[in-house]
Amino acid sequence: MTQTVRPSSPAPGEDHIDLSWRRSASCGLTPKSARPGAPDPRASRSHRLAEAARPVMDDLDEVLKDTGAMLLLADREGRVIRSVRDNARISRMLLRRGVDDGATLTEDAVGNNGIGTALETRAGVFIHGEQHFAEVLRDFVCYGHPIIDPLTRRLVGAVDLTGMSADASRMFAPFVRKIVADIEARYVDTARADDRELWHRFVERTRTSDTATCAFGDEVVLASHSSLERLDSRDLGRLRRLVDRHELGDSVELSVGTVGVLSSRVGRRGHLLDLVFPDHQHPAVPVLGSTRPAFTAPVAASIPGTPAMPAASAPGSCGGVTGPTHAVVGPSGSGRSSTARDIAGPGALHVRLAEADSADAAWIGLVVPALRDQGDEGRPLVLDDIDLLDDADLRRLAARLRSAGAALVVVTSREDPRAAVTEALDACGTRTVLRPLHERGAESAEIVARMVEELTAGKGLAPMVPTARFTDAVCALDLPNGLISLRSILTECLSESGHTGSTTLDVDCLPARARTGRPPRAGELARGEYDAIVAALAGCDGVRSRAAKRLGISRTTLYARMREFGLS
């Protein structure tokens, strides 16, 4: 049975209980007739919600034992898809009154209750005894709370905890809210990988900038506050259609006039759009590897194994960097170091913070001497991987960057949500953002072809031609170390093809590790990474440089993963 959506905001002087009784009566119910809807064997189940909630609900069997309480999980149609109960009298009473797996608990079936009213109002709700519309429920007290998809903000279900003691009910709300939060967090993990990646990119983009940003995925439409202040629903619909039809250009006509668009592909089907409105034409953050250049003067940036890529420069730059500080941001293997060296010039001092054994050693032994020497010599300086520094040292670095003299300082960093990293990056006058290989569209094919050409020449092999299928397969891979991982995979492919005498690279040449089945889910991937890092560190007596070598990843990546997992 589908729930009817009605206004639920109470007018002054009204409360939610009064409104819920009115809604129940308007459905033709009476206190005696209102009962849970019988299970419908033909009804489809919400498999995604059930999958996300399963580990959370499994852990509650012991928690609720001998408590005299019953917990219900319902989908957005108000249908109970899972219950947790003990053998106490309350559970048997609820079962006799029709509250069981498969029962429908919408307001138009049973009147106000923890499931139906939470779905109706999209808010947590307490209902005590006689406040229930249905007579069959007046022996109980309950608290219900809706489950909201964090990605789409759509209502996906509700959780209800029911008992008989009014005194115990004051603990219902925090308990149920914690359960809902756990389910919502796991619900994100069940979303498509592209939608999860799009959500994370959107959050990172809007957290550090007031740019008007929209994101469009298979099941996701996101818009920042800055964009919602200017756009209406028709504008969002038009942007969505243009993205779906691959017809989005550098500008688009919307209700506010001609709006500039900088589009970045996220995953295979996601798009992140930065909008520049007619009365606010300041350039966006520069992006390398986006589907098109931004609205400012281009700068060529060369990455080993890749063709020169169009980039956008920040205000005041034209064919080069004029400010004293510049930030280069991007994931591992995206070419941060090479881009920073190109910006700083051939005479720059390049300091790699990943070579230090600890964050303290990186600051005291590398950064401080380099900044001191630069002040004496006026030589351009590149500080690689500043996100490896501790927060206090990052704030000291930010203060130094804000007061930098004439000599150029270029810093590089992974995309890191820490406030101290953001502060240091924001202290730079200009910024370049590098995107992963799979987000660079047609440019990815050029990168693969260029790297194959360089590798064959370096190994003295006959020229190899990648097929379109091979290029598509390689560009769709999730490469943990970006161009470094790509070079490793292509090297294996060339070795295999060299043995067979083939002059083309097809998908059959890909190593087994690049042709796996489904990618690991977010929780599985994090668990696997954590276990592998702990094992490698234990086997190398805690020496991180050796552990990184054993894992086959760079020290930069290892340090970043250790920080994410709280490993010291």
Side-chain angles (χ1 to χ4, degrees), residues 427-496:
C428 296
T430 48
R431 184 183 304 191
T432 298
V433 179
L434 303 177
R435 293 301 185 198
L437 179 70
H438 64 273
E439 292 184 23
R440 298 187 181 180
E443 189 177 70
S444 302
E446 300 174 13
I447 294 172
V448 172
R450 178 73 170 272
M451 193 174 286
V452 168
E453 182 182 346
E454 288 190 0
L455 288 172
T456 52
K459 293 177 175 292
L461 301 174
M464 295 278 189
V465 179
T467 65
R469 288 199 314 160
F470 176 86
T471 301
D472 290 343
V474 169
C475 293
L477 293 175
D478 181 14
L479 302 173
N481 279 307
L483 300 177
I484 300 171
S485 299
L486 175 62
R487 183 177 291 274
S488 173
I489 289 173
L490 292 180
T491 299
E492 290 186 50
C493 294
L494 291 173
S495 298
E496 180 67 23

Side-chain angles (χ1 to χ4, degrees), residues 5-23:
V5 178
R6 304 177 186 87
S8 57
S9 298
E14 294 183 314
D15 62 31
H16 288 287
I17 298 300
D18 289 339
L19 282 174
S20 65
W21 275 58
R22 274 191 239 161
R23 287 194 301 267

Side-chain angles (χ1 to χ4, degrees), residues 318-330:
C318 184
V321 178
T322 59
T325 54
H326 194 112
V328 180
V329 183

Side-chain angles (χ1 to χ4, degrees), residues 528-561:
E529 286 182 333
Y530 179 89
D531 292 343
I533 289 172
V534 170
L537 288 169
C540 297
D541 298 323
V543 180
R544 288 180 282 185
S545 57
R546 286 166 50 198
K549 188 173 182 180
R550 174 176 292 193
L551 291 167
I553 61 178
S554 68
R555 280 180 290 184
T556 303
T557 301
L558 174 61
Y559 294 171
R561 292 290 191 274

Side-chain angles (χ1 to χ4, degrees), residues 170-475:
R170 64 179 181 273
M171 298 303 299
F172 282 12
F175 182 67
V176 172
R177 287 171 188 156
K178 176 63 169 61
I179 294 170
V180 168
D182 291 343
I183 294 174
E184 288 178 346
R186 295 191 61 85
Y187 200 81
V188 173
D189 289 345
T190 65
R192 297 180 181 180
D194 284 351
D195 285 343
R196 289 200 308 270
E197 176 68 13
L198 184 63
W199 162 257
H200 291 307
R201 289 297 176 86
F202 175 82
V203 169
E204 291 171 5
R205 185 77 181 93
T206 54
R207 178 190 290 120
T208 59
S209 171
D210 61 355
T211 303
T213 301
C214 298
F216 298 95
D218 282 343
E219 298 180 357
V220 176
V221 177
L222 304 168
S224 66
H225 291 297
S226 298
S227 62
L228 290 176
E229 289 174 355
R230 309 294 298 276
L231 304 177
D232 59 27
S233 59
R234 292 170 300 175
D235 293 328
L236 291 174
R238 175 166 171 74
L239 288 171
R240 180 63 192 249
R241 287 192 297 273
L242 292 173
V243 166
D244 290 344
R245 297 171 185 170
H246 306 287
E247 297 175 354
L248 193 64
D250 291 332
S251 61
V252 61
E253 290 295 330
L254 299 177
S255 60
V256 294
T258 302
V259 176
V261 180
L262 174 62
S263 172
S264 301
R265 182 177 290 274
V266 178
R268 297 186 183 182
R269 293 177 291 273
H271 290 80
L272 194 67
L273 310 184
D274 287 333
L275 307 178
V276 182
F277 292 100
D279 58 347
H280 196 54
Q281 293 286 352
H282 62 275
V285 173
V287 177
L288 292 182
S290 65
T291 55
R292 58 182 60 83
F295 300 98
T296 51
V299 175
S302 174
I303 298 175
T306 71
M309 295 181 294
S313 303
S317 62
C318 184
V321 178
T322 59
T325 54
H326 194 112
V328 180
V329 183
S332 296
S334 58
R336 293 194 310 264
S337 299
S338 302
T339 303
R341 286 196 299 268
D342 288 339
I343 293 171
L349 173 63
H350 188 186
V351 179
R352 297 177 176 86
L353 304 189
E355 294 179 355
D357 288 333
S358 66
D360 286 341
W363 174 256
I364 297 172
L366 297 177
V367 178
V368 172
L371 291 172
R372 183 175 58 244
D373 292 345
Q374 190 206 31
D376 297 335
E377 302 172 7
R379 183 181 177 189
L381 173 63
V382 175
L383 296 177
D384 228 339
D385 301 313
I386 64 169
D387 52 299
L388 299 180
L389 295 172
D390 285 335
D391 287 359
D393 294 331
L394 279 165
R395 293 188 175 93
R396 295 186 187 98
L397 177 61
R400 179 62 183 265
L401 293 172
R402 282 191 288 267
S403 61
L408 175 65
V409 179
V410 183
V411 300
T412 74
S413 172
R414 289 162 51 95
E415 294 176 337
D416 194 316
R418 285 189 299 151
V421 176
T422 301
E423 182 180 349
L425 296 175
D426 289 344
C428 296
T430 48
R431 184 183 304 191
T432 298
V433 179
L434 303 177
R435 293 301 185 198
L437 179 70
H438 64 273
E439 292 184 23
R440 298 187 181 180
E443 189 177 70
S444 302
E446 300 174 13
I447 294 172
V448 172
R450 178 73 170 272
M451 193 174 286
V452 168
E453 182 182 346
E454 288 190 0
L455 288 172
T456 52
K459 293 177 175 292
L461 301 174
M464 295 278 189
V465 179
T467 65
R469 288 199 314 160
F470 176 86
T471 301
D472 290 343
V474 169
C475 293

Side-chain angles (χ1 to χ4, degrees), residues 74-94:
D75 60 18
R76 63 188 174 194
E77 303 296 332
R79 188 178 303 109
V80 178
I81 61 175
R82 177 78 185 268
S83 62
V84 179
R85 56 181 178 264
D86 62 11
N87 294 319
R89 184 168 66 97
I90 180 175
S91 298
R92 297 192 296 273
M93 291 173 63
L94 286 168

Side-chain angles (χ1 to χ4, degrees), residues 102 128 134 139 152 182 232 257 263 270 323 335 506 522 526:
H128 295 271
D139 292 328
T152 64
D182 291 343
D232 59 27
S263 172
D506 208 342

